[in-house]
Amino acid sequence: MVWGVLVVAVATAILFSSFFTETWAREAAQRAEAPDLPSHTYRSLRARQRHMQAVTRWLRVTTVLYLLIGLFADWLCLTLIR
């Protein structure tokens, strides 16, 4: 049971951090929409947006996998203890 609580706590922290990266990606996209940007700045901001979106997806996939592995480990421990 302690394992399950730790898994949920860590998964929640990982998921919470993905909201920050999503916000940073959105901010980069908004700044890239400014009409008077040089082309290199525009490309840089779009690259940052794509990178932050990729990090966000990775964090969310990691959260789901971590929860599944944690739940399986918790179930396995409960099964072996009985």
Side-chain angles (χ1 to χ4, degrees):
M1 295 307 270
V2 173
W3 174 254
V5 172
L6 290 175
V7 165
V8 170
V10 171
T12 303
I14 294 170
L15 186 62
F16 187 70
S17 66
S18 77
F19 294 125
F20 286 113
T21 58
E22 182 181 18
T23 302
W24 295 334
R26 194 176 312 121
E27 287 174 356
Q30 288 173 350
R31 282 186 278 155
E33 295 302 320
D36 57 347
L37 282 178
S39 64
H40 67 279
T41 305
Y42 176 81
R43 286 192 306 268
S44 173
L45 286 171
R46 286 298 180 186
R48 177 178 214 134
Q49 176 194 8
R50 285 190 303 274
H51 175 74
M52 286 294 124
Q53 286 173 336
V55 168
T56 300
R57 281 191 301 273
W58 182 84
L59 285 171
R60 289 183 179 166
V61 168
T62 302
T63 301
V64 170
L65 290 176
Y66 191 75
L67 278 173
L68 290 175
I69 291 169
L71 290 173
F72 176 71
D74 200 23
W75 172 80
L76 190 61
C77 288
L78 288 174
T79 304
L80 291 177
I81 291 174
R82 286 185 184 180

Coordinates of all heavy atoms in Angstrom, one line a residue:
M1 N 0.8 -1.2 0.0 CA 0.0 0.0 0.0 C 0.9 1.3 0.0 O 0.5 2.2 -0.6 CB -0.9 0.0 1.2 CG -2.0 -1.1 1.2 SD -2.9 -1.2 -0.4 CE -4.2 -0.1 0.1
V2 N 2.0 1.2 0.7 CA 2.9 2.4 0.7 C 3.4 2.6 -0.7 O 3.5 3.7 -1.1 CB 4.0 2.1 1.7 CG1 5.0 3.2 1.6 CG2 3.5 2.1 3.1
W3 N 3.7 1.5 -1.4 CA 4.2 1.7 -2.8 C 3.2 2.4 -3.6 O 3.6 3.3 -4.4 CB 4.5 0.3 -3.3 CG 4.9 0.3 -4.8 CD1 4.1 -0.1 -5.8 CD2 6.1 0.7 -5.3 NE1 4.8 0.1 -7.0 CE2 6.0 0.6 -6.7 CE3 7.3 1.3 -4.8 CZ2 7.0 1.0 -7.6 CZ3 8.3 1.6 -5.7 CH2 8.2 1.5 -7.0
G4 N 1.9 2.1 -3.5 CA 0.9 2.7 -4.3 C 0.8 4.2 -4.0 O 0.6 5.0 -5.0
V5 N 0.9 4.6 -2.8 CA 0.9 6.0 -2.4 C 2.1 6.7 -3.0 O 2.0 7.8 -3.5 CB 0.8 6.2 -0.9 CG1 1.0 7.6 -0.5 CG2 -0.5 5.6 -0.3
L6 N 3.3 6.1 -2.9 CA 4.5 6.8 -3.5 C 4.3 6.9 -5.0 O 4.7 7.9 -5.6 CB 5.7 5.9 -3.1 CG 6.1 6.0 -1.7 CD1 7.3 5.1 -1.4 CD2 6.5 7.4 -1.3
V7 N 3.8 5.9 -5.7 CA 3.7 5.9 -7.1 C 2.7 7.0 -7.5 O 3.0 7.8 -8.4 CB 3.1 4.5 -7.7 CG1 2.6 4.7 -9.1 CG2 4.2 3.5 -7.6
V8 N 1.6 7.2 -6.8 CA 0.6 8.2 -7.1 C 1.3 9.6 -6.9 O 1.1 10.5 -7.7 CB -0.7 8.0 -6.3 CG1 -1.6 9.3 -6.5 CG2 -1.4 6.8 -6.8
A9 N 2.0 9.7 -5.8 CA 2.7 11.0 -5.5 C 3.7 11.4 -6.6 O 3.7 12.6 -7.1 CB 3.4 11.0 -4.2
V10 N 4.5 10.5 -7.0 CA 5.5 10.8 -8.0 C 4.8 11.0 -9.4 O 5.2 12.0 -10.1 CB 6.5 9.6 -8.1 CG1 7.4 9.8 -9.3 CG2 7.4 9.6 -6.9
A11 N 3.8 10.3 -9.7 CA 3.1 10.5 -11.0 C 2.4 11.8 -11.0 O 2.4 12.5 -12.0 CB 2.1 9.3 -11.2
T12 N 1.9 12.2 -9.9 CA 1.2 13.5 -9.8 C 2.3 14.6 -10.0 O 2.0 15.6 -10.7 CB 0.5 13.7 -8.5 OG1 -0.4 12.6 -8.3 CG2 -0.2 15.0 -8.4
A13 N 3.4 14.5 -9.4 CA 4.5 15.5 -9.6 C 4.9 15.6 -11.0 O 5.1 16.7 -11.6 CB 5.7 15.2 -8.7
I14 N 5.1 14.4 -11.7 CA 5.5 14.4 -13.1 C 4.4 15.1 -14.0 O 4.7 15.9 -14.8 CB 5.8 13.0 -13.6 CG1 7.0 12.4 -12.9 CG2 6.0 13.0 -15.1 CD1 7.2 10.9 -13.1
L15 N 3.2 14.7 -13.7 CA 2.1 15.3 -14.5 C 2.0 16.8 -14.2 O 1.7 17.6 -15.2 CB 0.7 14.6 -14.1 CG -0.5 15.0 -14.9 CD1 -0.3 14.7 -16.4 CD2 -1.7 14.4 -14.3
F16 N 2.2 17.3 -13.0 CA 2.1 18.7 -12.7 C 3.2 19.4 -13.4 O 3.0 20.5 -14.0 CB 2.3 18.9 -11.2 CG 2.1 20.3 -10.7 CD1 0.8 20.9 -10.8 CD2 3.2 21.0 -10.3 CE1 0.7 22.2 -10.3 CE2 3.0 22.3 -9.8 CZ 1.7 22.9 -9.9
S17 N 4.4 18.9 -13.6 CA 5.5 19.5 -14.3 C 5.2 19.6 -15.8 O 5.6 20.5 -16.5 CB 6.8 18.8 -14.1 OG 6.8 17.5 -14.6
S18 N 4.4 18.7 -16.3 CA 4.0 18.8 -17.7 C 3.1 20.0 -18.0 O 3.1 20.5 -19.1 CB 3.3 17.5 -18.2 OG 2.0 17.4 -17.7
F19 N 2.4 20.4 -17.0 CA 1.6 21.6 -17.2 C 2.4 22.9 -17.4 O 2.1 23.8 -18.2 CB 0.6 21.8 -16.1 CG -0.5 20.7 -16.1 CD1 -0.7 20.0 -14.9 CD2 -1.2 20.4 -17.2 CE1 -1.7 19.0 -14.9 CE2 -2.2 19.4 -17.1 CZ -2.4 18.7 -16.0
F20 N 3.6 22.9 -16.7 CA 4.5 24.0 -16.9 C 5.1 24.0 -18.3 O 5.2 25.0 -19.0 CB 5.7 23.9 -15.9 CG 5.2 24.3 -14.5 CD1 5.2 23.4 -13.5 CD2 4.9 25.6 -14.2 CE1 4.8 23.8 -12.2 CE2 4.5 26.0 -13.0 CZ 4.5 25.1 -11.9
T21 N 5.5 22.8 -18.8 CA 6.1 22.8 -20.2 C 5.0 23.1 -21.2 O 5.4 23.7 -22.2 CB 6.7 21.4 -20.4 OG1 5.7 20.4 -20.3 CG2 7.9 21.1 -19.5
E22 N 3.8 22.7 -21.0 CA 2.7 23.1 -21.9 C 2.5 24.6 -21.9 O 2.3 25.2 -23.0 CB 1.4 22.4 -21.5 CG 0.3 22.7 -22.4 CD -1.0 22.0 -21.9 OE1 -1.1 21.6 -20.8 OE2 -1.9 21.8 -22.8
T23 N 2.6 25.2 -20.8 CA 2.5 26.7 -20.7 C 3.6 27.4 -21.4 O 3.4 28.3 -22.2 CB 2.4 27.2 -19.3 OG1 1.3 26.5 -18.6 CG2 2.3 28.7 -19.2
W24 N 4.8 26.9 -21.3 CA 6.0 27.4 -22.0 C 5.9 27.3 -23.5 O 6.2 28.2 -24.2 CB 7.3 26.8 -21.5 CG 7.5 27.1 -20.0 CD1 7.1 28.2 -19.3 CD2 8.3 26.3 -19.1 NE1 7.6 28.1 -18.0 CE2 8.3 26.9 -17.9 CE3 9.0 25.1 -19.2 CZ2 8.9 26.4 -16.7 CZ3 9.6 24.6 -18.1 CH2 9.6 25.3 -16.9
A25 N 5.3 26.2 -23.9 CA 5.1 26.0 -25.4 C 4.1 27.0 -25.9 O 4.3 27.5 -27.0 CB 4.7 24.5 -25.6
R26 N 3.0 27.2 -25.2 CA 2.0 28.1 -25.6 C 2.5 29.5 -25.6 O 2.2 30.3 -26.5 CB 0.8 28.0 -24.6 CG -0.4 28.7 -25.1 CD -1.7 28.5 -24.2 NE -1.9 27.1 -23.8 CZ -1.9 26.8 -22.5 NH1 -1.7 27.7 -21.6 NH2 -2.1 25.5 -22.2
E27 N 3.4 29.9 -24.6 CA 3.9 31.2 -24.6 C 4.9 31.5 -25.8 O 4.9 32.5 -26.4 CB 4.7 31.5 -23.3 CG 3.8 31.7 -22.1 CD 4.6 31.8 -20.8 OE1 5.8 31.6 -20.8 OE2 3.9 32.0 -19.8
A28 N 5.7 30.4 -26.2 CA 6.5 30.6 -27.3 C 5.7 30.7 -28.6 O 6.1 31.5 -29.5 CB 7.5 29.3 -27.4
A29 N 4.6 30.0 -28.7 CA 3.8 30.1 -29.9 C 3.2 31.5 -30.0 O 3.1 32.1 -31.1 CB 2.7 29.1 -29.9
Q30 N 2.8 32.1 -28.8 CA 2.2 33.4 -28.8 C 3.2 34.5 -29.2 O 2.9 35.4 -30.0 CB 1.6 33.7 -27.5 CG 0.3 33.0 -27.2 CD -0.2 33.1 -25.8 OE1 0.5 33.7 -24.9 NE2 -1.4 32.7 -25.5
R31 N 4.4 34.3 -28.7 CA 5.5 35.3 -29.0 C 5.9 35.2 -30.5 O 6.3 36.2 -31.1 CB 6.7 35.1 -28.1 CG 6.5 35.7 -26.8 CD 7.7 35.6 -25.9 NE 7.8 34.3 -25.4 CZ 8.9 33.7 -25.0 NH1 10.1 34.3 -25.2 NH2 8.9 32.5 -24.5
A32 N 5.8 34.0 -31.1 CA 6.1 33.8 -32.5 C 5.1 34.5 -33.4 O 5.5 34.7 -34.6 CB 6.3 32.3 -32.8
E33 N 3.9 34.8 -32.9 CA 2.9 35.4 -33.8 C 3.1 36.9 -33.9 O 2.3 37.5 -34.6 CB 1.5 35.0 -33.2 CG 1.2 33.6 -33.3 CD 1.2 33.0 -34.7 OE1 0.8 33.7 -35.6 OE2 1.7 31.9 -34.8
A34 N 4.1 37.5 -33.2 CA 4.3 38.9 -33.3 C 4.6 39.3 -34.8 O 5.4 38.6 -35.4 CB 5.4 39.4 -32.4
P35 N 4.1 40.3 -35.3 CA 4.2 40.6 -36.8 C 5.6 41.1 -37.2 O 6.0 41.0 -38.3 CB 3.2 41.7 -37.0 CG 2.9 42.3 -35.7 CD 3.1 41.2 -34.7
D36 N 6.4 41.7 -36.2 CA 7.6 42.3 -36.6 C 8.9 41.5 -36.2 O 9.9 42.1 -36.0 CB 7.7 43.7 -36.0 CG 7.5 43.7 -34.5 OD1 7.1 42.7 -34.0 OD2 7.8 44.7 -33.9
L37 N 8.7 40.2 -36.1 CA 9.9 39.4 -35.7 C 10.8 39.1 -36.9 O 10.3 38.8 -38.0 CB 9.4 38.0 -35.2 CG 8.8 38.0 -33.8 CD1 8.4 36.6 -33.4 CD2 9.9 38.5 -32.8
P38 N 12.1 39.1 -36.7 CA 13.0 38.6 -37.7 C 12.8 37.1 -37.9 O 12.3 36.4 -37.0 CB 14.4 38.9 -37.1 CG 14.2 39.8 -35.9 CD 12.8 39.6 -35.5
S39 N 13.2 36.6 -39.1 CA 12.9 35.2 -39.4 C 13.7 34.2 -38.5 O 13.1 33.2 -38.1 CB 13.3 34.9 -40.9 OG 14.6 35.1 -41.1
H40 N 14.9 34.6 -38.1 CA 15.6 33.7 -37.2 C 15.0 33.6 -35.8 O 15.0 32.5 -35.2 CB 17.1 34.1 -37.1 CG 17.3 35.4 -36.4 ND1 17.2 36.6 -37.0 CD2 17.7 35.6 -35.1 CE1 17.4 37.6 -36.2 NE2 17.7 37.0 -35.0
T41 N 14.4 34.7 -35.3 CA 13.7 34.7 -34.0 C 12.4 33.8 -34.2 O 12.1 33.1 -33.2 CB 13.3 36.1 -33.6 OG1 14.5 36.9 -33.6 CG2 12.7 36.1 -32.2
Y42 N 11.7 34.0 -35.3 CA 10.5 33.2 -35.5 C 10.8 31.7 -35.5 O 10.1 30.9 -34.8 CB 9.9 33.6 -36.8 CG 8.7 32.8 -37.2 CD1 7.4 33.1 -36.6 CD2 8.8 31.7 -38.1 CE1 6.3 32.3 -37.0 CE2 7.7 31.0 -38.4 CZ 6.4 31.3 -37.9 OH 5.4 30.5 -38.2
R43 N 11.9 31.3 -36.2 CA 12.2 29.9 -36.3 C 12.7 29.4 -34.9 O 12.4 28.3 -34.5 CB 13.4 29.7 -37.3 CG 12.9 29.8 -38.7 CD 13.9 29.3 -39.7 NE 15.2 30.0 -39.6 CZ 15.6 31.1 -40.2 NH1 14.8 31.6 -41.1 NH2 16.8 31.6 -40.1
S44 N 13.4 30.2 -34.2 CA 13.8 29.8 -32.9 C 12.6 29.6 -31.9 O 12.6 28.6 -31.2 CB 14.8 30.9 -32.3 OG 15.1 30.6 -31.0
L45 N 11.7 30.5 -32.0 CA 10.5 30.4 -31.1 C 9.7 29.2 -31.5 O 9.1 28.4 -30.6 CB 9.6 31.6 -31.1 CG 10.2 32.8 -30.4 CD1 9.4 34.1 -30.7 CD2 10.3 32.6 -28.9
R46 N 9.5 28.9 -32.8 CA 8.8 27.7 -33.2 C 9.5 26.4 -32.8 O 8.9 25.5 -32.4 CB 8.5 27.8 -34.7 CG 7.5 28.8 -35.1 CD 6.2 28.4 -34.5 NE 5.2 29.4 -35.0 CZ 4.0 29.4 -34.5 NH1 3.5 28.5 -33.7 NH2 3.1 30.3 -34.9
A47 N 10.8 26.5 -32.9 CA 11.6 25.3 -32.5 C 11.4 25.1 -31.0 O 11.3 23.9 -30.5 CB 13.1 25.5 -32.8
R48 N 11.4 26.1 -30.2 CA 11.2 26.0 -28.8 C 9.8 25.5 -28.5 O 9.6 24.6 -27.6 CB 11.4 27.4 -28.1 CG 11.1 27.3 -26.6 CD 11.4 28.6 -25.9 NE 11.9 28.2 -24.6 CZ 12.9 28.8 -24.0 NH1 13.5 29.7 -24.6 NH2 13.2 28.4 -22.8
Q49 N 8.8 25.9 -29.2 CA 7.5 25.4 -29.1 C 7.4 23.9 -29.3 O 6.8 23.2 -28.5 CB 6.5 26.2 -30.0 CG 5.1 25.6 -29.9 CD 4.2 26.1 -31.0 OE1 4.7 26.7 -32.0 NE2 3.0 25.8 -31.0
R50 N 8.0 23.5 -30.4 CA 8.0 22.1 -30.8 C 8.7 21.3 -29.7 O 8.3 20.2 -29.3 CB 8.6 21.8 -32.1 CG 7.7 22.3 -33.3 CD 8.2 21.8 -34.6 NE 9.6 22.3 -34.9 CZ 9.9 23.4 -35.4 NH1 8.9 24.3 -35.8 NH2 11.1 23.8 -35.7
H51 N 9.8 21.8 -29.2 CA 10.6 21.1 -28.2 C 9.8 20.9 -26.9 O 9.7 19.9 -26.3 CB 11.9 21.8 -27.9 CG 12.7 21.2 -26.8 ND1 13.4 20.0 -26.9 CD2 12.9 21.6 -25.5 CE1 14.0 19.7 -25.8 NE2 13.7 20.7 -24.9
M52 N 9.1 22.0 -26.5 CA 8.3 22.0 -25.2 C 7.1 21.1 -25.4 O 6.7 20.4 -24.5 CB 7.9 23.4 -24.8 CG 9.0 24.2 -24.3 SD 9.6 23.6 -22.7 CE 11.3 23.4 -23.0
Q53 N 6.5 21.0 -26.6 CA 5.4 20.1 -26.8 C 5.9 18.7 -26.7 O 5.2 17.8 -26.2 CB 4.8 20.4 -28.2 CG 3.9 21.7 -28.2 CD 3.4 22.0 -29.5 OE1 4.0 21.6 -30.5 NE2 2.4 22.8 -29.6
A54 N 7.1 18.4 -27.3 CA 7.6 17.0 -27.2 C 7.9 16.6 -25.8 O 7.6 15.5 -25.3 CB 8.9 16.9 -28.1
V55 N 8.5 17.6 -25.0 CA 8.8 17.3 -23.6 C 7.4 17.0 -22.8 O 7.4 16.1 -22.0 CB 9.5 18.5 -22.9 CG1 9.6 18.3 -21.4 CG2 10.9 18.5 -23.5
T56 N 6.4 17.8 -23.1 CA 5.1 17.6 -22.5 C 4.6 16.3 -22.8 O 4.1 15.6 -21.9 CB 4.1 18.7 -23.0 OG1 4.6 20.0 -22.6 CG2 2.8 18.5 -22.3
R57 N 4.6 15.9 -24.1 CA 4.1 14.5 -24.4 C 4.9 13.4 -23.7 O 4.3 12.5 -23.2 CB 4.2 14.3 -25.9 CG 3.1 15.0 -26.7 CD 3.1 14.5 -28.1 NE 4.3 14.8 -28.8 CZ 4.5 16.0 -29.5 NH1 3.7 16.9 -29.4 NH2 5.7 16.1 -30.1
W58 N 6.2 13.6 -23.6 CA 7.1 12.6 -23.0 C 6.7 12.5 -21.5 O 6.7 11.4 -20.9 CB 8.5 13.0 -23.2 CG 9.5 12.0 -22.6 CD1 9.9 10.9 -23.1 CD2 10.1 12.1 -21.3 NE1 10.8 10.2 -22.3 CE2 10.9 11.0 -21.1 CE3 10.1 13.1 -20.3 CZ2 11.7 10.8 -20.0 CZ3 10.8 12.9 -19.1 CH2 11.6 11.7 -19.0
L59 N 6.5 13.7 -20.9 CA 6.2 13.6 -19.4 C 4.9 13.0 -19.2 O 4.7 12.2 -18.2 CB 6.2 15.1 -18.9 CG 7.5 15.7 -18.7 CD1 7.3 17.2 -18.3 CD2 8.3 15.0 -17.6
R60 N 3.9 13.2 -20.0 CA 2.6 12.6 -19.8 C 2.6 11.1 -20.1 O 2.0 10.3 -19.4 CB 1.6 13.3 -20.7 CG 1.3 14.7 -20.1 CD 0.3 15.4 -20.8 NE 0.1 16.8 -20.2 CZ -0.5 17.8 -20.7 NH1 -1.1 17.6 -21.9 NH2 -0.6 18.9 -20.1
V61 N 3.4 10.7 -21.1 CA 3.5 9.2 -21.4 C 4.2 8.6 -20.2 O 3.9 7.5 -19.7 CB 4.2 9.0 -22.7 CG1 4.7 7.5 -22.8 CG2 3.3 9.4 -23.8
T62 N 5.3 9.2 -19.7 CA 6.0 8.7 -18.6 C 5.1 8.6 -17.3 O 5.2 7.6 -16.6 CB 7.2 9.6 -18.2 OG1 8.0 9.8 -19.4 CG2 8.0 9.1 -17.1
T63 N 4.2 9.5 -17.1 CA 3.3 9.4 -16.0 C 2.4 8.2 -16.1 O 2.2 7.5 -15.1 CB 2.4 10.7 -15.9 OG1 3.3 11.9 -15.8 CG2 1.4 10.7 -14.8
V64 N 1.8 8.0 -17.3 CA 0.9 6.9 -17.5 C 1.7 5.6 -17.3 O 1.2 4.6 -16.6 CB 0.3 6.9 -18.9 CG1 -0.5 5.6 -19.2 CG2 -0.7 8.1 -18.9
L65 N 2.9 5.5 -17.9 CA 3.7 4.2 -17.7 C 4.1 4.0 -16.3 O 4.0 2.9 -15.8 CB 4.9 4.3 -18.6 CG 4.7 4.2 -20.1 CD1 6.0 4.4 -20.9 CD2 4.0 2.9 -20.5
Y66 N 4.5 5.1 -15.6 CA 4.8 4.9 -14.2 C 3.7 4.4 -13.4 O 3.8 3.6 -12.5 CB 5.4 6.2 -13.7 CG 6.1 6.1 -12.4 CD1 7.3 5.6 -12.2 CD2 5.4 6.6 -11.2 CE1 7.9 5.5 -11.0 CE2 6.0 6.5 -10.0 CZ 7.3 5.9 -9.9 OH 7.9 5.8 -8.7
L67 N 2.5 5.0 -13.6 CA 1.3 4.5 -12.9 C 1.0 3.1 -13.2 O 0.7 2.3 -12.3 CB 0.1 5.4 -13.3 CG 0.0 6.7 -12.5 CD1 -1.2 7.6 -13.1 CD2 -0.2 6.5 -11.0
L68 N 1.1 2.7 -14.4 CA 0.8 1.3 -14.8 C 1.8 0.3 -14.2 O 1.4 -0.7 -13.6 CB 0.7 1.1 -16.3 CG -0.4 1.8 -17.0 CD1 -0.3 1.6 -18.5 CD2 -1.7 1.2 -16.6
I69 N 3.0 0.7 -14.2 CA 4.1 -0.2 -13.6 C 3.9 -0.2 -12.1 O 4.0 -1.3 -11.5 CB 5.5 0.3 -14.0 CG1 5.7 0.1 -15.5 CG2 6.6 -0.3 -13.1 CD1 7.0 0.8 -16.0
G70 N 3.6 0.9 -11.5 CA 3.4 1.0 -10.1 C 2.2 0.2 -9.6 O 2.2 -0.5 -8.6
L71 N 1.1 0.3 -10.4 CA -0.1 -0.5 -10.0 C 0.1 -2.0 -10.2 O -0.3 -2.8 -9.4 CB -1.3 0.0 -10.9 CG -1.8 1.4 -10.6 CD1 -2.9 1.8 -11.6 CD2 -2.4 1.4 -9.1
F72 N 0.9 -2.3 -11.2 CA 1.2 -3.8 -11.4 C 2.1 -4.3 -10.3 O 1.9 -5.3 -9.8 CB 1.9 -4.0 -12.8 CG 2.3 -5.4 -13.0 CD1 1.4 -6.4 -13.2 CD2 3.7 -5.7 -12.9 CE1 1.8 -7.7 -13.4 CE2 4.1 -7.0 -13.1 CZ 3.2 -8.0 -13.3
A73 N 3.1 -3.5 -9.9 CA 4.0 -3.9 -8.8 C 3.2 -4.0 -7.5 O 3.4 -4.9 -6.7 CB 5.1 -2.9 -8.7
D74 N 2.3 -3.0 -7.3 CA 1.4 -3.1 -6.1 C 0.6 -4.3 -6.0 O 0.5 -5.0 -5.0 CB 0.6 -1.8 -6.0 CG 0.1 -1.5 -4.6 OD1 0.7 -2.0 -3.6 OD2 -0.9 -0.8 -4.5
W75 N -0.1 -4.6 -7.2 CA -0.9 -5.8 -7.3 C 0.0 -7.1 -7.1 O -0.4 -8.0 -6.4 CB -1.6 -5.9 -8.7 CG -2.3 -7.2 -8.9 CD1 -3.5 -7.5 -8.5 CD2 -1.8 -8.3 -9.7 NE1 -3.8 -8.8 -8.9 CE2 -2.8 -9.3 -9.6 CE3 -0.6 -8.5 -10.4 CZ2 -2.6 -10.5 -10.3 CZ3 -0.4 -9.7 -11.0 CH2 -1.4 -10.7 -11.0
L76 N 1.2 -7.1 -7.7 CA 2.0 -8.3 -7.5 C 2.4 -8.5 -6.1 O 2.4 -9.6 -5.6 CB 3.3 -8.1 -8.4 CG 4.2 -9.3 -8.6 CD1 3.4 -10.4 -9.3 CD2 5.4 -8.9 -9.4
C77 N 2.8 -7.4 -5.4 CA 3.2 -7.5 -4.0 C 2.0 -8.0 -3.1 O 2.2 -8.9 -2.3 CB 3.6 -6.2 -3.4 SG 5.3 -5.7 -4.1
L78 N 0.8 -7.5 -3.4 CA -0.4 -8.0 -2.7 C -0.6 -9.4 -2.9 O -1.1 -10.2 -2.1 CB -1.6 -7.1 -3.0 CG -1.6 -5.7 -2.4 CD1 -2.8 -4.9 -2.9 CD2 -1.6 -5.8 -0.9
T79 N -0.4 -9.9 -4.2 CA -0.7 -11.2 -4.5 C 0.4 -12.2 -3.9 O 0.0 -13.3 -3.4 CB -0.6 -11.4 -6.1 OG1 -1.6 -10.5 -6.6 CG2 -1.0 -12.8 -6.5
L80 N 1.6 -11.8 -3.9 CA 2.6 -12.6 -3.3 C 2.6 -12.7 -1.8 O 2.9 -13.7 -1.2 CB 4.0 -12.1 -3.7 CG 4.4 -12.2 -5.2 CD1 5.7 -11.6 -5.5 CD2 4.4 -13.7 -5.6
I81 N 2.1 -11.6 -1.1 CA 2.0 -11.6 0.3 C 0.9 -12.5 0.8 O 1.0 -13.2 1.8 CB 1.8 -10.1 0.8 CG1 3.0 -9.4 0.6 CG2 1.4 -10.1 2.3 CD1 2.9 -7.9 0.9
R82 N -0.2 -12.6 0.0 CA -1.3 -13.5 0.4 C -0.9 -14.9 0.4 O -0.7 -15.8 0.7 CB -2.5 -13.3 -0.5 CG -3.2 -12.1 -0.3 CD -4.4 -12.0 -1.2 NE -5.1 -10.8 -1.0 CZ -6.2 -10.4 -1.7 NH1 -6.7 -11.3 -2.5 NH2 -6.7 -9.3 -1.5

